[in-house]
mmCIF file of all heavy atoms in Angstrom:
data_model
loop_
_atom_site.group_PDB
_atom_site.id
_atom_site.type_symbol
_atom_site.label_atom_id
_atom_site.label_comp_id
_atom_site.label_asym_id
_atom_site.label_seq_id
_atom_site.Cartn_x
_atom_site.Cartn_y
_atom_site.Cartn_z
ATOM 1 N N MET A 13 -0.746 -21.056 73.426
ATOM 2 C CA MET A 13 -0.866 -22.430 72.958
ATOM 3 C C MET A 13 -2.269 -22.980 73.206
ATOM 4 O O MET A 13 -2.798 -23.747 72.406
ATOM 5 C CB MET A 13 0.186 -23.306 73.658
ATOM 6 C CG MET A 13 1.621 -22.886 73.344
ATOM 7 S SD MET A 13 1.945 -22.675 71.568
ATOM 8 C CE MET A 13 1.679 -24.365 70.996
ATOM 9 N N ALA A 123 13.119 5.542 61.548
ATOM 10 C CA ALA A 123 14.326 6.295 61.874
ATOM 11 C C ALA A 123 15.268 5.536 62.798
ATOM 12 O O ALA A 123 16.480 5.771 62.798
ATOM 13 C CB ALA A 123 13.943 7.618 62.527
ATOM 14 N N ALA A 154 -10.545 -15.917 49.955
ATOM 15 C CA ALA A 154 -11.338 -16.720 50.892
ATOM 16 C C ALA A 154 -12.708 -17.075 50.321
ATOM 17 O O ALA A 154 -13.249 -18.143 50.638
ATOM 18 C CB ALA A 154 -11.508 -15.968 52.211
ATOM 19 N N SER A 177 -9.008 12.312 49.350
ATOM 20 C CA SER A 177 -7.667 12.822 49.113
ATOM 21 C C SER A 177 -7.714 14.216 48.468
ATOM 22 O O SER A 177 -6.932 15.106 48.819
ATOM 23 C CB SER A 177 -6.881 11.854 48.226
ATOM 24 O OG SER A 177 -5.550 12.279 48.054
#
Side-chain angles (χ1 to χ4, degrees):
M13 298 310 296
S177 184

